[in-house]
Amino acid sequence: MSIRRIFIPVATIVVFLLLWEWLVWVNQWPNYKMASPTDIWPAFWKFKHLFLQYGWQTLWRTIAGLAIAIVVGTFLGLIMGMSRSVREALYPLLVGFNAIPKATVVPILALMLVGEHNINTILMAFMISFFPIAVSVSIGLSTLEPEYRDILKALGASRFMIFRKIALPKTLPEFFGALKVAVTLAFIGTNLVEIIEPHGRGLGHLFDSAKINSDYPLMFAVLIALAFMGILLYYVVVILEQIFAGWAERSPT
Amino acid sequence: MAAGHSPGSHSESPLIQLKSVSHTFSTATGPLPVLDGLEISIAEGQFTAVVGPSGCGKSTLTRLIAGLMKPDTGEVWLHGEKVVSPRSTVGMAFQNPVLLEWRSILKNVMLPLEIVPNKLSVKEREERARYLLALVGLEGFEEKRPSELSGGMRQRASLCRSLVHKPDVLILDEPFGALDAFTREDLWQTMHTLREEEPFTALLITHDLRESIFLADEVVVLSGRPAKSQYVLSVDMPGKRTLDDLYTPQASDMLATLREQIKIAQGHGKAGGHSA
């Protein structure tokens, strides 16, 4: 971790906040049009215990949904990557499923699992985020050059051995690329349920309460908190990627 | 079978033997016969090069010997046993070095030892890999990633990997085909070094006639598709070979003979007209 890798992103965020503050100030925007960072901070501080409590609820349900998405997405990617027929069979279904606006699924889920708020939310986070994982794992596996397989096969390696020694590590960069997309999608999924079907939990609920009470700075504060958690989780993925797939990154020289 | 001396000059149980091997692929445009009654035998310790017009089934030949596929008819024998499935006594190298990007060069070379049953400890495996890497001039590059090496160096590492488990047979499918001329000649000499230190039996598929006579004891010319053995040339270059040996009258004669045979093979391919 060089200074550059921490300093540059932090500096960018500071510049962004200053610019935001300045825009609101210059245009004399009222709070309901656009709250400024200096309005948002007090709103956050006032409800900081709620942010912690609800933020945690949103976070753990997002991570749980993401975990299911990783398991199911990787499994689907595996079977699609290994067999052409499975790939051809599943793609239309998956694409169709992915094309459904997830907001429309929220009431369906709510009816299907009445009162099971945690499960509802986790399911949505999973449904919205498994697709990129499945697709990229399957592409990673199906584009494995046949010579790679032959090198091990000629030595009498089993299918499992070929998978473990070659297919799995070779797919890791694609997997982590998809995981970065899936992380942010999972947050959208969790909040979709929390906002559309408020059941007194999560940051989505806090957002909804703020809306009802016309507390505009609080609404913005929730958005910032969500963005912050998204960034946090994203960097967790980046660190995991560097540990497990750091070899894929070429030195710039 | 066309002119040339008989291919079966090594009578007492050759290490590799192909007995009237035929194979046909079914493609979208119909059946495509690639091998037709191919007979090849390679004695233990012999280096055989196979040349022929492009698309004449040379790569199919390597996959058959490696046990990666079975011929429609005919048999492949290795070490007095019929080949029906892959066996760990084969080492392979391709035009693409297919090194695993996530492993160091050393770990790449050690890969076959993780698959082939052996009694070596991790330390002994490492020593074996280091020894081979030093032989091909890659000392000091053991911990580098493949992406940090040049094409020629990667191919050297790939050769080490194909030899690390002391295979009975080395199958080389145009391993030098993608290299520039000077690197290629360097690697030819490396092959001779390896053969001196680590005697092996080899089958080399190549398009390069100079390469074939520089490396091999025997050059088999395949006819056009569907391929059969058309001509066998015994390379008469005694002693330690150097690149200068390629510029002697004898070498020119051998190259001329091979070129003539390739021309005949190409004619056969056209006259055959087997495309469905």
Side-chain angles (χ1 to χ4, degrees):
Chain A
M1 281 294 200
S2 60
I3 298 171
R4 189 170 154 184
R5 292 184 60 184
I6 298 171
F7 179 74
I8 291 182
V10 169
T12 319
I13 291 172
V14 170
V15 169
F16 172 76
L17 289 176
L18 286 175
L19 203 67
W20 182 358
E21 187 75 39
W22 177 78
L23 262 179
V24 174
W25 179 72
V26 158
N27 292 303
Q28 294 291 307
W29 279 327
N31 262 343
Y32 58 82
K33 203 169 210 172
M34 175 72 91
S36 66
T38 43
D39 296 325
I40 293 171
W41 180 255
F44 166 75
W45 198 249
K46 192 171 153 195
F47 297 105
K48 57 180 184 299
H49 55 282
L50 276 185
F51 270 96
L52 273 181
Q53 187 191 340
Y54 289 156
W56 169 244
Q57 282 166 355
T58 298
L59 186 65
W60 82 257
R61 294 192 292 197
T62 303
I63 293 175
L66 203 56
I68 302 174
I70 290 172
V71 172
V72 175
T74 307
F75 175 74
L76 284 174
L78 282 184
I79 56 174
M80 289 199 300
M82 304 254 228
S83 151
R84 212 193 151 120
S85 349
V86 175
R87 187 156 66 243
E88 276 159 6
L90 287 184
Y91 248 114
L93 269 180
L94 285 181
V95 172
F97 187 79
N98 199 47
I100 297 172
K102 292 297 171 294
T104 60
V105 184
V106 174
I108 297 174
L109 266 183
L111 283 175
M112 220 184 262
L113 299 152
V114 179
E116 300 286 352
H117 301 310
N118 283 338
I119 296 177
N120 279 346
T121 318
I122 292 168
L123 268 182
M124 181 56 72
F126 149 66
M127 282 194 294
I128 208 167
S129 61
F130 79 94
F131 186 74
I133 298 176
V135 170
S136 54
V137 169
S138 102
I139 289 175
L141 284 180
S142 62
T143 54
L144 188 69
E145 292 92 329
E147 286 113 325
Y148 279 95
R149 216 162 289 164
D150 284 354
I151 282 281
L152 289 204
K153 242 194 196 166
L155 295 168
S158 63
R159 268 179 86 106
F160 174 72
M161 192 71 119
I162 294 172
F163 173 74
R164 196 165 65 91
K165 296 274 183 202
I166 292 189
L168 187 72
K170 201 168 166 42
T171 319
L172 278 180
E174 277 101 344
F175 170 79
F176 279 109
L179 196 54
K180 287 179 190 168
V181 178
V183 161
T184 43
L185 285 178
F187 268 111
I188 295 175
T190 325
N191 280 279
L192 216 50
V193 179
E194 289 173 353
I195 294 172
I196 299 181
E197 294 281 320
H199 39 59
R201 275 175 222 183
L203 286 178
H205 167 68
L206 190 59
F207 180 83
D208 204 54
S209 315
K211 193 177 77 186
I212 291 164
N213 294 307
S214 307
D215 191 342
Y216 302 108
L218 182 57
M219 287 166 73
F220 277 95
V222 171
L223 298 189
I224 300 290
L226 282 171
F228 176 75
M229 279 174 15
I231 293 170
L232 204 70
L233 218 49
Y234 176 87
Y235 276 103
V236 170
V237 175
V238 168
I239 290 168
L240 289 176
E241 182 184 28
Q242 265 160 8
I243 295 171
F244 293 107
W247 51 268
E249 199 175 316
R250 303 280 163 99
S251 51
T253 44
Chain B
M1 197 165 294
H5 18 208
S6 105
S9 46
H10 308 271
S11 47
E12 72 280 3
S13 81
L15 186 71
I16 306 175
Q17 198 167 23
L18 274 77
K19 297 178 180 169
S20 61
V21 168
S22 302
H23 195 80
T24 301
F25 285 113
S26 46
T27 65
T29 51
L32 181 73
V34 283
L35 300 176
D36 177 26
L38 182 60
E39 301 260 352
I40 290 180
S41 49
I42 304 175
E44 183 153 8
Q46 185 180 301
F47 198 126
T48 298
V50 174
V51 296
S54 49
C56 76
K58 296 192 293 290
S59 290
T60 308
L61 177 62
T62 63
R63 293 177 58 81
L64 285 172
I65 296 173
L68 291 169
M69 51 184 274
K70 272 183 263 180
D72 290 341
T73 60
E75 289 169 357
V76 180
W77 288 72
L78 196 65
H79 243 329
E81 275 178 65
K82 199 173 152 184
V83 175
V84 287
S85 62
R87 45 191 52 230
S88 49
T89 54
V90 165
M92 286 185 103
F94 305 95
Q95 182 168 348
N96 176 354
V98 286
L99 297 174
L100 312 185
E101 288 295 332
W102 53 92
R103 285 173 172 240
S104 66
I105 291 299
L106 183 70
K107 289 265 159 57
N108 260 291
V109 174
M110 287 163 72
L111 177 73
L113 296 175
E114 295 166 25
I115 309 226
V116 174
N118 64 80
K119 292 191 195 79
L120 297 180
S121 68
V122 175
K123 196 163 170 282
E124 286 166 324
R125 291 175 186 183
E126 200 182 305
E127 272 165 16
R128 166 92 184 132
R130 282 184 191 278
Y131 162 74
L132 284 173
L133 283 170
L135 270 189
V136 300
L138 282 183
E139 209 166 1
F141 292 92
E142 291 89 347
E143 301 307 327
K144 297 269 187 223
R145 301 254 180 217
S147 57
E148 297 173 283
L149 265 58
S150 69
M153 291 161 102
R154 270 181 251 174
Q155 200 52 265
R156 282 169 203 272
S158 169
L159 287 173
C160 290
R161 181 183 58 191
S162 66
L163 284 170
V164 75
H165 55 299
K166 301 195 173 166
D168 293 338
V169 181
L170 189 59
I171 300 175
L172 306 166
D173 192 352
E174 295 188 50
F176 316 119
L179 303 173
D180 67 85
F182 298 118
T183 310
R184 195 181 308 158
E185 288 177 355
D186 267 354
L187 269 135
W188 292 351
Q189 279 159 323
T190 304
M191 278 314 292
H192 279 306
T193 313
L194 281 172
R195 206 178 157 197
E196 259 166 49
E197 304 294 325
E198 292 267 323
F200 49 75
T201 309
L203 178 95
L204 167 75
I205 305 288
T206 179
H207 279 124
D208 187 333
L209 299 181
R210 287 169 68 240
E211 177 173 303
S212 74
I213 64 165
F214 185 66
L215 290 178
D217 307 314
E218 207 168 73
V219 181
V220 177
V221 181
L222 293 188
S223 67
R225 201 169 56 222
K228 52 176 88 180
S229 167
Q230 174 183 303
Y231 184 86
V232 179
L233 175 90
S234 290
V235 181
D236 185 24
M237 264 198 239
K240 198 168 160 58
R241 291 182 194 177
T242 65
L243 286 171
D244 292 336
D245 292 332
L246 286 174
Y247 301 95
T248 60
Q250 293 94 313
S252 301
D253 284 349
M254 285 191 273
L255 288 172
T257 311
L258 287 176
R259 212 168 285 130
E260 193 56 41
Q261 288 297 328
I262 294 284
K263 258 185 225 157
I264 297 171
Q266 282 168 332
H268 168 95
K270 270 176 215 139
H274 277 279
S275 47

